[in-house]
Amino acid sequence: METFAGAPGSDGDVAVLTEIVAGFESVEAALTAAQVAEVRLLARAGRLAEHQAAGAPVRVRAHDMALRSIAAEVGGVLRVTDRTVQMRIGEARDLVETWGATLTAWETGRITRGHTRLIADVGGIVPAARRAEFEVEAIERCSRDTPNRVRPGLEILAERLSERSFTERHRDAAAGRCVRVVAARDGMSDVVATVPTVIADGILDRLTQQARAVIDARDADEADAPPDLRTVDQVRTDVFTDLLLSGAPALDPTAHGDAPGALGAIRAQVQVVVPALTLLGSDDGPADLIGRSPIDADTARCLAAHAPTWARVLTDPVEGTVLAVDRYSTPWRQRRYLQARDQHCRFPGCRRPALRCDVDHTVDAATGGPTALGNLAHLCRRHHSLKHHTRWRVRQRGGGVLEWTSPTGRTYREDAPTPTVHFLPDVLPTVIPAVVAVSEPAPF
Ligand SMILES: [Zn+2]
């Protein structure tokens, strides 16, 4: 550990602090230079994809394939998924091609990365003709204060320069409506729906009214029933999940006259890995919701208990490779085995659950590739088409190991994930049919 000469609080200490602060200054400059260089490289990668696709008969699709392939190549080096790289390429191109003066201000240290993001984000609504005007003013304000403090002023400025009405902007914003799940801690997740404000308020109001009705009804219940002590928040959440998991949408294009449509009959599917000891109840370790995050042992056991059929997979305790699968008819057995072996898409870094993937022939069946375990692997739609339409190549090296080769010749070894046992229940207490996987070492 470093020791400092001189008495505590002396001039010697001030000299050391001066040196540390100067160090930060030069590190900050080096970081900025590296980050700006990365932004420029990402933007170049995006332009290269566009160039590659020029002249292709189906330009939009060709551009997307070229971009995916390049993003996967860059992702391999940066060790992030190609989806992430593709998003960052989009942001980088926006900065380089639309916000040049802002990028220069960042590069020369007038503003920071946070300011740069803020200007590009808030300035999105400013029409091209007035962008330069906005940029000059925004950079000036950013150079004097932190991003959080400048944001409100910049939002007002952008609003003033924007020629579009609130109605027009709302129409665009509503086109970006979406639902996503964000993993939280302790086996919980947030379901986030971005919807028009009036719909959001309506949803909360209906849930609240329904929750109050549930609470009123329970007061009238017979006395010998176990007491329902749920809070309004809890009941509201239970009604919300119940409606979404078991309800049928009012507008169902598959309905004929008064006959109900097919949408209400569709059941949710999730894919879970449970360690064998947890299943037996001798261990309370968490199970794994494939592609997401851990779930608690009780939920995992509940899922497994309601699985009418399942295939057990024995695994080598040392190598971890799959040794045997319980008896099933061949196609089923093969599919179960593959789901147990792969668990998720087998492109490097991808975690899309096998349940939502295609089974791909590594060597195409049309060119003589057999429908055998050593020639099959799960790929999500995105990576399935990447394999077929770009210069990414894959080989099977035995034992479920896949070797991917990028267009520039870099190779990535993709080992099979921890082997597992699979269940395929039809119905759960909470109407979630699921694929449950149990990892279990071989008994020797
Ligand atoms: Zn994938």
Side-chain angles (χ1 to χ4, degrees):
M1 204 165 54
E2 183 180 359
T3 52
F4 300 104
S10 66
D11 286 353
D13 279 8
V14 175
V16 173
L17 184 58
T18 305
E19 185 202 317
I20 290 174
V21 171
F24 272 114
E25 228 162 34
S26 67
V27 164
E28 179 63 24
L31 275 177
T32 298
Q35 284 165 345
V36 172
E38 190 182 72
V39 165
R40 293 196 196 283
L41 281 173
L42 285 166
R44 267 184 82 196
R47 282 196 304 275
L48 178 65
E50 206 163 271
H51 171 74
Q52 283 181 356
V58 195
R59 180 110 28 117
V60 176
R61 183 165 170 76
H63 177 233
D64 188 51
M65 280 305 144
L67 190 57
R68 259 183 221 189
S69 177
I70 290 173
E73 184 86 60
V74 176
V77 177
L78 298 183
R79 288 190 244 180
V80 293
T81 68
D82 50 306
R83 288 182 177 88
T84 305
V85 175
Q86 199 169 327
M87 199 186 69
R88 284 168 59 186
I89 285 177
E91 290 167 356
R93 283 196 69 175
D94 184 42
L95 264 187
V96 170
E97 291 161 25
T98 311
W99 303 102
T102 306
L103 190 62
T104 308
W106 176 23
E107 196 169 19
T108 53
R110 263 193 90 191
I111 61 173
T112 67
R113 182 183 205 170
H115 291 123
T116 309
R117 281 208 185 115
L118 176 69
I119 293 175
D121 179 31
V122 171
I125 60 167
V126 178
R130 310 201 65 179
R131 203 177 286 138
E133 188 186 337
F134 172 79
E135 232 181 340
V136 169
E137 176 68 21
I139 292 168
E140 174 57 31
R141 293 192 196 183
C142 283
S143 66
R144 296 195 302 255
D145 218 330
T146 60
N148 277 348
R149 285 197 181 171
V150 221
R151 178 181 275 276
L154 286 194
E155 279 171 350
I156 293 168
L157 178 65
E159 192 81 29
R160 229 176 47 220
L161 293 174
S162 162
E163 285 149 5
R164 301 173 64 232
S165 69
F166 186 84
T167 308
E168 286 171 310
R169 278 187 283 125
H170 174 73
R171 203 172 297 140
D172 280 2
R177 63 191 180 275
C178 61
V179 176
R180 57 210 180 278
V181 171
V182 182
R185 299 181 59 157
D186 302 327
M188 300 296 280
S189 286
D190 297 322
V191 181
V192 183
T194 301
V195 296
T197 302
V198 65
I199 304 279
D201 275 2
I203 290 173
L204 192 68
D205 176 63
R206 185 162 190 244
L207 285 176
T208 308
Q209 289 190 51
Q210 288 177 331
R212 294 231 169 91
V214 169
I215 288 169
D216 288 348
R218 80 184 171 195
D219 294 338
D221 277 352
E222 62 264 54
D224 55 348
D228 180 354
L229 301 173
R230 291 176 300 165
T231 63
V232 178
D233 257 336
Q234 288 168 340
V235 177
R236 215 163 21 201
T237 313
D238 295 345
V239 171
F240 174 83
T241 50
D242 189 22
L243 279 173
L244 289 174
L245 286 172
S246 60
L251 295 175
D252 185 345
T254 65
H256 294 289
D258 285 343
L263 293 189
I266 294 174
R267 289 292 168 256
Q269 297 208 327
V270 294
Q271 188 181 328
V272 181
V273 178
V274 194
L277 289 178
T278 305
L279 190 70
L280 295 172
S282 55
D283 180 328
D284 252 354
D288 180 27
L289 185 63
I290 306 256
R292 291 264 177 234
S293 52
I295 61 166
D296 65 289
D298 281 346
T299 305
R301 279 195 284 266
C302 176
L303 288 164
H306 288 81
T309 58
W310 51 281
R312 193 177 53 161
V313 181
L314 293 179
T315 61
D316 184 307
V318 181
E319 301 290 331
T321 50
V322 176
L323 295 177
V325 182
D326 279 356
R327 248 171 260 114
Y328 272 92
S329 63
T330 313
W332 271 102
R333 186 177 169 177
Q334 201 173 52
R335 255 186 85 188
R336 288 284 156 271
Y337 180 100
L338 275 173
Q339 282 193 350
R341 187 195 72 185
D342 289 352
Q343 294 185 28
H344 48 69
C345 168
R346 298 296 309 284
F347 189 80
C350 185
R351 293 265 291 166
R352 188 72 27 123
L355 203 63
R356 288 198 271 284
C357 288
D358 304 326
V359 175
D360 171 60
H361 282 74
T362 307
V363 176
D364 212 338
T367 60
T371 304
L373 295 170
N375 189 48
L376 297 171
H378 281 93
L379 292 181
C380 70
R381 281 289 149 82
R382 176 186 177 86
H383 293 125
H384 202 166
S385 43
L386 185 78
K387 180 196 162 211
H388 284 288
H389 299 292
T390 73
R391 284 152 71 187
W392 277 85
R393 292 290 168 259
V394 61
R395 284 198 299 168
Q396 295 234 13
R397 308 305 307 258
V401 176
L402 266 61
E403 188 184 85
W404 289 88
T405 307
S406 78
T408 63
R410 288 170 189 268
T411 59
Y412 298 94
R413 185 187 149 103
E414 178 72 2
D415 288 327
T418 324
T420 54
V421 181
H422 276 227
F423 296 81
L424 191 65
D426 288 332
V427 181
L428 279 173
T430 50
V431 296
I432 313 171
V435 172
V436 178
V438 179
S439 59
E440 179 176 44
F444 50 73

